[in-house]
């Protein structure tokens, strides 16, 4: 296997913020992103995400929730409102069927991945979104279209 072309490596130099309360699951998500050479920051709660977002502007926010509650929905609204340039992608990973997601979540998030999930596939979806490529169709549900 030859060297990876420089252009492909540079695609992965963007910041991803991962919000997951469970440290073990957060670690799996971060490990998959790091294996794909993605710079990622793990956060344990909505308050941490709000503080971090005030100081950094991630290209992708990955929210891992069982089902989006009002606090998480308010966070997604705030992220979208502050994304003036439209460059932010929001990936939602959750435990409920996509058919029961609130309509507003579907309008605000870019992609939904149902658990259990393959974190490597999620990492590649993050890369695809951040580099303006279409994510794979199997197991990945596009909610918003560019």
């Amino acid at each position: 296997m030859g060297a990876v072309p420089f252009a492909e490596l540079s695609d992965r130099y963007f910041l991803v913020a991962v919000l997951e309360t469970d440290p073990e699951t957060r670690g799996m998500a971060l490990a998959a992103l790091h294996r794909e050479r993605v710079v990622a920051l793990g956060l344990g709660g909505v308050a941490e995400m709000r503080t971090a977002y005030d100081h950094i502007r991630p290209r992708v926010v990955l929210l891992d929730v069982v089902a989006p509650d009002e606090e998480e929905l308010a966070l997604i609204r705030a992220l979208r409102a502050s994304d003036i340039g439209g460059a932010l992608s929001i990936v939602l990973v959750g435990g409920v069927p996509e058919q029961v997601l609130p309509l507003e979540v579907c309008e605000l998030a870019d992609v939904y991945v149902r658990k259990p999930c393959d974190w490597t596939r999620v990492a590649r979806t993050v890369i695809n979104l951040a580099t303006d490529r279409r994510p794979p169709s199997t197991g990945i549900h596009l909610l918003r279209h560019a």
Side-chain angles (χ1 to χ4, degrees):
M1 187 163 152
V4 177
F6 182 75
E8 284 187 33
L9 287 176
S10 67
D11 283 350
R12 286 148 177 85
Y13 293 125
F14 54 84
L15 182 63
V16 176
V18 177
L19 174 62
E20 165 55 65
T21 57
D22 178 53
E24 185 177 330
T25 304
R26 185 172 57 241
M28 288 187 293
L30 289 170
L33 288 162
H34 292 158
R35 278 192 305 272
E36 298 293 329
R37 298 184 194 100
V38 173
V39 178
L41 169 69
L43 304 163
V46 170
E48 276 185 57
M49 176 65 80
R50 288 181 187 275
T51 301
Y53 198 82
D54 287 342
H55 300 286
I56 60 171
R57 293 293 177 181
R59 184 82 174 272
V60 179
V61 171
L62 193 152
L63 301 171
D64 188 350
V65 299
V66 174
D69 62 20
E70 187 51 44
E71 184 181 31
E72 292 153 346
L73 189 54
L75 172 65
I76 295 170
R77 282 187 207 113
L79 293 171
R80 280 287 173 224
S82 65
D83 180 33
I84 297 167
L88 176 69
S89 293
I90 298 176
V91 176
L92 187 63
V93 177
V96 298
E98 58 278 0
Q99 297 86 350
V100 301
L101 289 173
L103 181 59
E104 188 175 13
V105 169
C106 296
E107 293 172 343
L108 295 172
D110 293 285
V111 171
Y112 179 68
V113 182
R114 187 165 176 204
K115 286 184 169 180
C117 61
D118 175 349
W119 288 107
T120 299
R121 176 174 273 155
V122 172
R124 290 181 182 147
T125 298
V126 165
I127 292 167
N128 288 342
L129 286 170
T131 57
D132 295 324
R133 296 182 185 114
R134 191 169 177 83
S137 59
T138 307
I140 307 296
H141 303 279
L142 290 172
L143 300 174
R144 291 169 30 107
H145 300 282

